[in-house]
DNA sequence: AATGAATGAGGTTTCATTCAT
DNA sequence: TATGAATGAAACCTCATTCAT
């Protein structure tokens, strides 16, 4: 069995990514993907056992590129907001360059059953570890408020980043973004600035700096001081 | 001879919501839904013109309950964090009670084309207006930092709430949540507390209150002054 | 089991005739027929075993009215062309009054299998006997050319009459009629006149009056004398 | 890899013609047609968009052969009765060879709505023009009675020919034919002879040549003078 | 090895027929 | 007895997958 060249394989996978991203797993057809890739269905079934197997390969290919980006943007040992700004810019650029990769990523989040668990670990494991470690370090270094669980901190941070990507690429989220922010939804620099403002405060302000309440107080009491 | 009772209709819709939520529009089959609802396909087609019409009915049913909840939890003119806490608790309770409604909501976000825009406006319009208006009022009242665009503020807030719901209900997001927060991901009170801490700071701390930097200054300087 | 009144039965059958005539056996739906007749499907199945049984009842009802007409117009012992004119006028009037009966009659001619034989005998038997007997009598009386088999004579005569009815009522035949005769296709009097001219000659002129050929001559030789 | 050979395509179309001819458009099933043609339904849908498209292809195939025959038999510039004899023989031969093509043609005449008009023009246009032109020429040449509108003349002529074909092929018409003419209905030569006798007179005898009656006179007087 | 025509299971949808009310 | 909601077989059509060429 002759192996495909990397280029051929990439072209096939890109065709799959486009189709799956735009029409979903069930909506995309193998025939159509083969045609878009300039090959016959036979080739698809030579290298991939079935549709699901091929879908997973597309997913892997897609996430590889996203992962590569994240490796890069998280590699620099910047101070917090610069670190965040780098990631935001990186994801914005990636979203512009490869919207279908992000759309496919979104399709992925609809998976259910045991596969979902496996995929989540595969896909989110890296960033979960990276962000949590970074935040824990920042807390230890005193660059970051210490009164929050670093895991939740990282979680909320990544939540905002995921939504940012989807808001750039997925039709529904784009419309929702526009609903909230109007024409400014398209202004990458503005979005970055506003998100950084939001994060900056969330990251740095300790509750203690605002009010001097006891740990045990009920949440709604918290609000009294606002 | 009586038509479908409300209970029967609700049961059918719930069966549809379950199926669509778990397998998506194309993945779910009318036959299977009918079987799950304990009826024959003929009944589905007696009350709904076609699969899409039935899907929309499921969506409407699903969103109606979510909307009712949001109307309730946003109605109280609480101070900010209490307002947020009310919404968080409400969504957590809703997620426990109707996970498939949230899953269907997530499926919805995968829609594309012109339908996506229409749906987004229909579904997100209410919260977008509610949150933005609330935040603008809070800013005017001095309860909230004034240096952020209220639209983006509301947007990020809702982003975190959406992810919270998905993290409770959708298999992939649940796994991801567990990946970040471990067993604590299931602790509603803890999640609420941590999210409120995150929001409290994001909501209230003005950059100006932290540092007086020039535009050109590096973001990481911001943190130094804390 | 209460019997339907004749009026109710007729109304139901008329509804069936309309539906079957316009949409064909497979195209018409029992539900739609019941609605048009102002009854429930249950009643249909109370009085008729199944769709086919009901179709046959419609057919019977439809043909009864056509037969009644033919009984009337053929009853008068007119001379040939008056006899023909009476039939033509009768059929034209019937076609205007009950186009769907004629359309249903046309549907009937599409039947196949053993049912076709039975139906043909039931439906065409009357006219076949009437026409053949009339023509044989006319021949015997010397009012009609004697060199033609009266059975074929009657057959061709009825062929022209059937086509006349279809040309009045069935969309395809109407279009075809218009194709041949243009706007004049709608002129009943003109059609009658032209058809009578055609028939008059066919009925009365003996070959001998045209040429004196032998019986044995090949048909194409016949033409030489034209 | 080769597409359908012409033979295969013809076989499929013949299977469709058989089914549609015998059961009508709605009555025939694609599954059954595929089985009869020895292929799978997938093949049908590979080459034809849907049932209607396939039906039209069958129709086209069917009419093509009939049209080819008519082109041939009407091409010879024969004298009238030879011309007619040629057509009759041609149609008889065609009816024997391709009864289902004639049956399909009959199904076609049951079409209604705007499609009926289009089809009639497509199918009947050729013969309508051919016959009308021929008859007008024959009238001009003095070979044919001049007191009839050539359009109606052609129309009645074609009516008889259509009925002839149906009487050969369609079960109902066959039974009716037998009802009129008994065992002789199967005798092609006899049918031809009788029809030609009928036509010969209809074609050639002018009313004026028979009698000089007043408008008011009774038709039966016409016959007396023979 | 590559092709793409062929297969046929499975999905949506309709509608003749039944039967509880 | 009359109703019409419910049933489910069967129709059309698609597309993942196979395999002869």
């Amino acid at each position: 069995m002759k192996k495909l060249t990397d280029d051929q394989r990439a072209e096939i996978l890109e065709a799959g990514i486009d189709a799956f991203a735009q029409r979903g797993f069930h909506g995309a057809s193998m025939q159509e993907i083969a045609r878009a890739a300039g090959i016959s269905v036979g080739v698809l079934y030579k290298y991939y056992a079935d549709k699901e197997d091929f879908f997973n390969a597309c997913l892997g290919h897609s996430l590889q590129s996203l992962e590569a980006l994240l490796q890069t943007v998280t590699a620099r040992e910047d101070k917090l907001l610069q670190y965040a700004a780098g990631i935001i810019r990186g994801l914005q650029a990636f979203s512009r360059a490869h919207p279908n990769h992000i759309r496919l990523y979104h399709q992925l989040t609809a998976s259910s059953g045991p596969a979902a668990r496996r995929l989540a670990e595969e896909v989110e494991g890296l960033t979960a570890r990276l962000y949590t470690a970074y935040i824990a370090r920042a807390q230890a270094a005193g660059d970051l408020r210490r009164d929050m669980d670093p895991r939740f901190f990282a979680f909320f941070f990544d939540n905002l980043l995921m939504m940012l990507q989807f808001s750039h690429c997925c039709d529904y989220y784009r419309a929702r973004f526009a609903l909230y922010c109007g024409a400014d939804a398209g202004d990458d620099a503005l979005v970055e600035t506003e998100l950084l403002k939001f994060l900056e405060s969330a990251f740095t302000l300790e509750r203690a700096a605002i009010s001097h309440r006891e740990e045990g107080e009920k949440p709604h009491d918290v609000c009294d001081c606002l």
Side-chain angles (χ1 to χ4, degrees), chain A:
Chain A
M1 182 192 293
K2 206 186 71 181
K3 296 283 270 184
L4 289 168
T5 67
D6 281 356
D7 275 5
Q8 281 176 310
R9 174 173 287 260
E11 195 178 356
I12 292 170
L13 291 170
E14 285 293 337
I17 288 165
D18 286 1
F20 287 129
Q22 277 160 25
R23 275 177 281 288
F25 179 77
H26 291 285
S29 101
M30 296 296 269
Q31 197 70 241
E32 160 207 44
I33 291 167
R35 187 161 38 249
I39 57 166
S40 69
V41 278
V43 174
L44 279 180
Y45 282 90
K46 186 159 174 34
Y47 294 102
Y48 305 97
D50 54 20
K51 196 185 190 183
E52 198 172 320
D53 186 38
F54 178 60
F55 180 77
N56 287 330
C58 290
L59 221 48
H61 185 72
S62 198
L63 295 171
Q64 212 173 311
S65 63
L66 186 54
E67 206 158 287
L69 171 88
L70 284 167
Q71 295 270 19
T72 306
V73 294
T74 57
R76 293 181 49 198
E77 268 302 325
D78 274 322
K79 286 290 180 180
L80 192 71
L81 281 203
Q82 261 179 333
Y83 180 81
I87 295 172
I88 292 168
R89 282 176 199 171
L91 291 177
Q92 282 178 333
F94 188 87
S95 294
R96 300 271 176 238
H98 308 291
N100 281 332
H101 290 225
I102 300 297
R103 282 180 204 126
L104 188 58
Y105 178 28
H106 183 257
Q107 296 278 354
L108 167 71
T109 65
S111 62
S112 64
R117 174 159 210 90
R118 186 176 43 75
L119 283 165
E121 274 162 23
E122 199 179 312
V123 176
E124 308 283 343
L126 174 75
T127 46
R129 280 188 299 277
L130 281 173
Y131 294 160
T132 307
Y134 180 93
I135 284 169
R137 276 202 308 280
Q139 282 182 321
D143 291 342
L144 199 52
R145 60 192 288 194
R146 287 190 169 105
D147 65 336
M148 263 194 74
D149 187 326
R151 300 169 305 155
F152 281 92
F153 221 137
F155 178 59
F156 298 142
F157 177 54
D158 195 41
N159 283 356
L160 288 166
L161 294 179
M162 278 186 78
M163 292 298 280
L164 189 69
Q165 292 171 80
F166 297 157
S167 298
H168 271 103
C169 302
C170 305
D171 283 6
Y172 182 91
Y173 282 109
R174 282 170 63 97
R176 173 176 170 275
F177 196 5
L179 214 55
Y180 271 97
C181 304
D184 291 342
D187 182 343
D188 277 10
L190 179 59
V191 172
E192 182 197 333
T193 305
E194 293 291 324
L195 181 52
L196 283 175
K197 276 195 274 190
F198 191 85
L199 288 171
E200 182 183 20
S201 306
F203 280 151
T204 53
L205 183 64
E206 297 215 17
R207 275 166 89 202
I210 308 171
S211 80
H212 299 273
R213 277 168 295 94
E214 312 299 300
E215 271 291 304
E217 272 187 296
K218 301 234 185 80
H220 65 91
D221 294 336
V222 171
C223 308
D224 294 338
C225 60
L226 288 173

